[in-house]
Structure formats: structure tokens, C-alpha cells
Amino acid sequence: MIDYLPLMRITAMHADEIDEAVGRVVKGGWYLKGEATTSFEQDFARYIGTQHCIGVANGLDALTLILRAYMEMGLMREGDEVIVPANTFIASILAITENRLVPVLVEPRLDTFQIDDSLIEQAITSRTRAVMLVHLYGRCAYTEIIADICRRHQLKLIEDNAQAHGCLYEGKRTGSLGDAAGHSFYPGKNLGALGDAGAVTTDDADLAAAIRSLANYGSSRKYVFDYVGRNSRLDEIQAAVLSVKLKYLDADNARRQAIANHYIDSVSNPLVRLPEKSGSVYHIFPVLSARRDGLQQYLTEKGIGTVIHYPIPPHKQHCFQSWNGLSLPVTEQVHVQELSIPCHQAMTQQEIDTVVDLLNHFA
């Protein structure tokens, strides 16, 4: 059996260092808002290339708090619109709706899976306040066209960087390309904790201060509350684990890229459409097939783990019934044809060759 993402094997690659780091926290007796969190925040800000990093409980909170902070700063208000890709994971959209803002769905490009920058400007109205980019599957969604649109229309550019830790755009990392970025360290991410964890990165000191306060019950000083906040904090154990794994992120991403490039060079089956080579860090390696369900069943029978990202697009979900009648054909094609195959740093060459051989023999 070749698992899709064997987290035990991946964690075991650095088990001794993780055990030592967790042990230091446990023995130190300080489990929230301590040295491990401060150290990780500083290291991750330096890695991403921003002035500030605020550790939070998870990736959804990171995005939600960015928007909430802009509202507290008077830059957005209920009913304002945020442009977001239609084919994203639902968390990107939930961050918008939780703040009683209005998501405006824009189709992706089929060749990149990223938001189509040629469609953004026509989606802008007098209520538009931000564009939320999602670096889906680990590929950079940022373009100079999008940056120019945001400058001309005075829109905030927010990055959902949950899937693209370490991805580069002309020497800069995703998470530093816009006004603020939300990061998820869910265990399956390229930089994954051993539980839920997240962070916000930004160069905006006022925004950073507001987010840090909002995530701590709305308090910047003990028992003094500036906002109606929430409890969303990165705990010391997860911060310690992330500090260990951050040291290996670039090497892990390079291994993923090598595997992905081998797939692209070696799989020649016309029934399986592979992504083009890019600077993606391949959190997910997506293939498209008009016979997706048959392909998944075939691989399962051969012992290959796969995942569909994502079987139902946001606009077809029950929780967004008012959108169910929308026609978003590119998004819908992606969601009925996408299948994710194993691509991670713990894969052996034999496992990689087996996946290639099976894909080429699918008929």
C-alpha cells in the first residue's frame, strides 16, 4: 500500500528533534504565550519576509482575524465585498461570511487552477474592499496584474497561504506579497503541526497589533479589553514542533518538486492531464481526468491512496444554498475531474515509479 500522505513517516523523519523540543516545553511548565511561540513567530516572519507574525489557533482564524481587524480599523464594514476564487477550500469563504462580509466568486484558470486575473476587474463594485488570493495546491496565485488592480482600486490584497508555505514569486515568498496573509499549519500541510495551528504575517504594524489583541480576547493588556475578541492562540507545544520542521521546509519542498517534475516528465497517458511545471511547492499534486472516479477506483484497487480536492465546490454546498443555482463551469469541471496523487518528501523512488507505471497503464 502506498498511502496518500503517511503523517507518521513524515513526522518520524525528525522525531528525535521533535521529542526534544516538546520535552523542553513540558518540563518548562509554560504552555501558552511563552518563549517557544515568540521564537517561532520571529523565525517564521524572517522566513516569509515580513515584519510581523502572529501565531493563532488555526488557518481559518488567521483569515477571519485579518478581516475582523480591518473592520475594527474602519477599513471595512458589514456588507462590503471580498473577491475570492470560486474553486477554493471553503475556509477561505467562511472567513469572509463570518465577518458578515460578502464573498464574490471568480472563476479560476483551468491550466493553473488559480484565480483568473482577467476576470477580477469586472467583479469589482463600489462595495469591493479586498481581493483574497488562494495559493491553491501550493502554486502562487499572485500576478502583477492583480497587484495593479488592487493599487488602482485601493483594495486590500489578502493571501490565503495555507497550502503554499515556502513558495516563491520572483524571489519573494508567498505570504509576503500582499497586505496580509493567513497560514494554516494543519498536520497535512507542507509545514504541519501535530494538531491545529495557524499564523498571520504582515508588514502593517497597526494591523498586527489589532490581530494580536483580537486573538487574545480583545486584550492588549491583562484584564483590559479593547475589542470584543476571541481566544485564538498558538500553543507552546505546536510552536516548538513548527520551529523544528521549519528548518527542513525548503528541503522538503525541493523533494516534492522533484517528485512532481518526475511525474510530469514520465506520465504520458492521454486520459490523465497533469499540471504544467511551475514553482509550486506541491502541497497537492492534482491531475485531471474525465474518468476521475474510475481512475480513483483503479488506483485504490492497486493499493495507491488518493484524495479528491474537493468533490463539491463551495457554490454547490448546502450551507450556501443561495448560490446553488450559479453556473461556474470552470470551477465545476475542476471539482468533477480533480484527483490528488501521492507527492510528499517521505516517498521512495520505488513508490514514485509504481505510481507512474500505474497511471500510464490506466485504460
Side-chain angles (χ1 to χ4, degrees):
M1 178 69 183
I2 300 176
D3 293 326
Y4 174 71
L5 187 66
L7 291 179
M8 288 181 66
R9 278 173 59 189
I10 291 172
T11 302
M13 295 171 70
H14 311 299
D16 290 343
E17 287 184 73
I18 290 172
D19 288 347
E20 182 181 347
V22 171
R24 284 196 301 270
V25 173
V26 173
K27 292 175 183 177
W30 195 276
Y31 307 128
L32 280 172
K33 299 180 67 178
E35 293 180 3
T37 299
T38 298
S39 178
F40 173 72
E41 288 177 338
Q42 293 172 348
D43 289 346
F44 194 64
R46 189 177 306 112
Y47 177 83
I48 293 295
T50 57
Q51 294 295 312
H52 306 279
C53 171
I54 307 96
V56 297
N58 54 68
L60 173 56
D61 277 5
L63 294 173
T64 303
L65 287 163
I66 291 169
L67 294 169
R68 171 71 185 283
Y70 280 136
M71 296 176 77
E72 294 289 353
M73 295 166 70
L75 300 176
M76 297 181 188
R77 61 183 180 181
E78 289 186 15
D80 284 344
E81 296 172 353
V82 178
I83 290 172
V84 64
N87 62 317
T88 186
F89 179 59
I90 201 167
S92 312
I93 295 170
L94 292 177
I96 300 169
T97 58
E98 185 172 332
N99 283 293
R100 297 186 180 180
L101 300 168
V102 179
V104 177
L105 307 182
V106 172
E107 287 265 61
R109 287 176 46 173
L110 194 58
D111 58 338
T112 67
F113 304 108
Q114 308 306 317
I115 192 169
D116 189 336
D117 58 15
S118 70
L119 302 178
I120 291 176
E121 197 151 23
Q122 66 194 52
I124 294 172
T125 74
S126 62
R127 299 304 300 271
T128 307
R129 296 293 178 265
V131 174
M132 182 182 289
L133 292 183
V134 182
H135 304 300
L136 198 67
Y137 305 152
R139 179 168 178 159
C140 180
Y142 176 91
T143 68
E144 293 295 338
I145 292 172
I146 295 172
D148 179 64
I149 290 170
C150 289
R151 281 191 295 267
R152 286 189 288 105
H153 293 273
Q154 298 182 311
L155 306 178
K156 294 297 183 183
L157 181 56
I158 300 167
E159 298 173 77
D160 180 341
N161 200 46
Q163 299 186 7
H165 302 138
C167 186
L168 289 168
Y169 175 85
E170 296 186 356
K172 293 186 66 175
R173 297 195 192 279
T174 53
S176 69
L177 301 172
D179 295 289
H183 307 261
S184 167
F185 305 122
Y186 179 80
K189 305 299 187 185
N190 290 34
L191 179 60
L194 300 184
D196 272 324
V200 173
T201 54
T202 183
D203 285 328
D204 186 333
D206 291 337
L207 180 71
I211 290 170
R212 193 174 293 280
S213 179
L214 284 163
N216 186 39
Y217 298 101
S219 173
S220 56
R221 292 180 295 142
K222 194 168 185 178
Y223 303 134
V224 177
F225 302 94
D226 305 308
Y227 309 105
V228 179
R230 63 199 302 165
N231 177 12
S232 180
R233 297 176 296 201
L234 176 62
D235 74 67
E236 288 285 282
I237 288 177
Q238 300 305 340
V241 171
L242 290 167
S243 288
V244 171
K245 297 180 80 172
L246 179 60
K247 297 185 294 184
Y248 301 99
L249 179 57
D250 286 343
D252 290 345
N253 284 343
R255 178 59 177 159
R256 287 172 178 261
Q257 289 168 333
I259 295 168
N261 289 338
H262 184 73
Y263 283 155
I264 294 167
D265 290 338
S266 304
V267 175
S268 56
N269 189 337
L271 295 176
V272 182
R273 177 175 173 175
L274 278 71
E276 60 185 23
K277 287 185 179 179
S278 68
S280 176
V281 292
Y282 295 102
H283 168 61
I284 291 167
F285 188 91
V287 302
L288 296 182
S289 177
R291 296 182 55 199
R292 190 265 307 281
D293 294 344
L295 175 61
Q296 184 177 45
Q297 181 179 351
Y298 161 78
L299 291 173
T300 299
E301 290 171 352
K302 298 296 184 181
I304 309 299
T306 60
V307 176
I308 296 171
H309 293 96
Y310 303 95
I312 305 172
H315 71 284
K316 296 296 184 182
Q317 296 286 353
H318 179 73
C319 63
F320 292 127
Q321 291 183 64
S322 63
W323 292 347
N324 288 176
L326 290 178
S327 175
L328 296 165
V330 179
T331 294
E332 290 159 18
Q333 180 178 347
V334 170
H335 284 257
V336 299
Q337 293 189 356
E338 191 277 340
L339 184 68
S340 305
I341 63 175
C343 183
H344 57 81
Q345 61 268 30
M347 287 189 80
T348 67
Q349 190 59 48
Q350 182 178 2
E351 289 174 329
I352 298 164
D353 291 340
T354 298
V355 173
V356 168
D357 183 66
L358 289 172
L359 287 173
N360 280 330
H361 285 89
F362 173 66

